Amino acid sequence: MERGIDLPRHGFGGAPIGNLYDAVAGETARATIDAAWESGVRLYDTAPHYGLGLSEQRMGAALVGRSGYLLSTKVGRLLRTSGGRAGGPDRDGQGFDVPAELERVWDFSRDGVRTSLAESLARLGLPAVDIALIHDPDDHVDQALAEAYPALAELRAEGRIRAVGVGMNQWQAPLRFVQETDVDVVMLAGRYTLLDQSGLPLLEECVLRGVKVLAAGVFNSGILATDEPSGTYDYVPAPAELLDKAKRIAHVCHRHGVSLPQAAMAFPLRHPAVATIVVGARAPEEVVRNAELWSRPVPEELWEDLRAEGLLTIDG
C-alpha cells in the first residue's frame, strides 16, 4: 500500500548551486533554478551540507512567492561557527568552494533534528518544507533510527512536514529504515544506475512497503553525464574497467539513436519503486539539455540489447 506524498518524475538537486567543486555566481545559480522551473521541474532538493547553507539560501530566494512545488531538505548536520577562521583564506574541505566560516557538526538527536529543520527554514526564508530526509547517517544508524526518525515522525504528525525519509549513497542502511520505520521516501544516490544496480534489494523492499524512491546520482557523479564517457565515478577518477563498460553502453545507445545521459536518466524510472530522478545542475544550459533529453522516448530494444550484451543484468 502506497502512503505519503505524490512525487513528480523529475527533481532538481541543489548541491551544484552550493558551489560543489567550483564556485557558481549568484546570478548563475538563480538562472539555473529559474531554468528548472521553466522546464516544468517541481521538486527541489537541498541540504545544509551543500555549501555550508549556501544552497538552501539560494534555493529559498528563487522559490519565494512560487507555489505548486515540493521542497526537500535534510537533517543530521548542524552548521556552527568554526573557531577563529571567519574571514580567513580557508576553504571548506568537503568538496564545496565556500569559505570555512562554518563547520558541520553531526547531530541525529531529537533536539538536533528539530534545531536543524528550524535553522534550514531560516536560511531558506520559507515557512515550511515538504520532505525532511535524514542525511548520511552511515556512522550513526542506530541513533538515527532511535532518535532522528521519531523526531521527524512527530513533525509529520504535527503537520509541520508532509513526508519523512532518509538519503544516502548506500542501500544497506536505508533498507533498515524501510523495514524498521514508517518512512515515506528514500533518496538513493548512485546505487541504481546504468553502471551500478546494487541497490536493487532496497528498491524491491520499497515496492513491498509502498515507500517511494528518489533516485539521485544517476550519472554516478559524472561518468554517465556526457555522450562520450569520461570524468569521475562516485567523485573520484573513474576506474579503467568502469570507463570501458560505460563506453560499451554508450555504443549500444548510439545504435538506437539515444545518448548516454538520456539513457542514464531514463533507466532508474523503469523500476516501479522509483518515483523521481533528482538531477543537479550548475548552469541553465545543463537544465535545458537534461529536460530535452528526458522528454525523448527510449526504445525498449535498447534495454534488450544491453541485457543481450551482458551490460545490464536485470530487467529494470
Side-chain angles (χ1 to χ4, degrees):
M1 181 181 71
E2 289 195 2
R3 60 177 182 271
I5 191 168
D6 290 330
L7 300 174
R9 285 175 66 82
H10 302 104
F12 177 85
I17 63 162
N19 289 6
L20 181 63
Y21 303 132
D22 299 298
V24 175
E27 58 269 23
T28 301
R30 177 57 184 265
T32 303
I33 300 169
D34 289 346
W37 185 269
E38 291 160 9
S39 297
V41 174
R42 291 297 182 269
L43 184 144
Y44 296 83
D45 175 70
T46 185
H49 174 53
Y50 302 158
L52 294 170
L54 180 63
S55 175
E56 289 184 317
Q57 293 166 9
R58 289 174 163 176
M59 195 82 79
L63 293 176
V64 68
R66 290 173 164 161
S67 61
Y69 64 85
L70 298 177
L71 176 62
S72 65
T73 193
K74 304 182 181 75
V75 301
R77 295 172 174 89
L78 297 176
L79 303 182
R80 295 294 177 259
T81 302
S82 55
R85 294 190 294 180
D90 291 346
R91 310 299 287 178
D92 175 46
Q94 296 197 31
F96 294 89
D97 187 7
V98 292
E101 297 174 354
L102 300 171
E103 61 184 356
R104 302 164 182 85
V105 177
W106 291 107
D107 194 334
F108 291 94
S109 69
R110 179 183 183 277
D111 288 345
V113 164
R114 285 182 167 260
T115 297
S116 178
L117 193 56
E119 292 177 353
S120 286
L121 293 176
R123 285 187 292 269
L124 287 160
L126 296 170
V129 298
D130 299 284
I131 304 167
L133 300 170
I134 302 167
H135 198 192
D136 294 339
D138 300 69
D139 298 324
H140 311 269
V141 173
D142 289 338
Q143 185 187 24
L145 284 164
E147 300 183 47
Y149 169 76
L152 291 179
E154 288 177 6
L155 292 169
R156 181 178 58 190
E158 295 167 9
R160 303 278 297 278
I161 55 178
R162 296 175 60 190
V164 174
V166 59
M168 301 184 72
N169 296 295
Q170 54 143 300
W171 64 268
Q172 293 91 339
L175 183 60
R176 286 191 61 189
F177 282 86
V178 170
Q179 293 174 331
E180 299 176 29
T181 75
D182 288 323
V183 292
D184 305 290
V185 299
V186 170
M187 178 173 282
L188 181 65
R191 303 285 77 85
Y192 193 72
T193 72
L194 280 176
L195 284 176
D196 184 343
Q197 296 100 50
S198 61
L200 187 60
L202 170 63
L203 268 59
E204 295 299 304
E205 190 73 8
C206 286
V207 170
L208 292 175
R209 295 176 181 265
V211 176
K212 297 179 174 68
V213 174
L214 301 116
V218 298
F219 299 138
N220 282 123
S221 86
I223 188 173
L224 300 175
T226 55
D227 206 27
E228 295 298 328
S230 63
T232 59
Y233 176 85
D234 283 0
Y235 309 101
V236 297
E241 63 273 18
L242 276 177
L243 189 58
D244 177 69
K245 183 177 181 180
K247 289 179 178 178
R248 292 166 61 202
I249 292 172
H251 180 71
V252 176
C253 289
H254 295 165
R255 295 206 310 258
H256 292 276
V258 174
S259 74
L260 183 61
Q262 179 188 355
M265 288 187 288
F267 172 73
L269 288 166
R270 292 174 56 79
H271 195 285
V274 177
T276 308
I277 58 166
V278 179
V279 183
R282 59 190 304 111
E285 53 268 28
E286 294 180 12
V287 174
V288 172
R289 182 209 70 156
N290 290 338
E292 195 274 329
L293 288 177
W294 72 49
S295 68
R296 296 182 190 175
V298 176
E300 186 65 28
E301 293 77 12
L302 167 61
W303 313 115
E304 294 172 0
D305 282 359
L306 288 174
R307 288 192 292 271
E309 298 191 23
L311 296 169
L312 192 61
T313 57
I314 62 174
D315 292 332

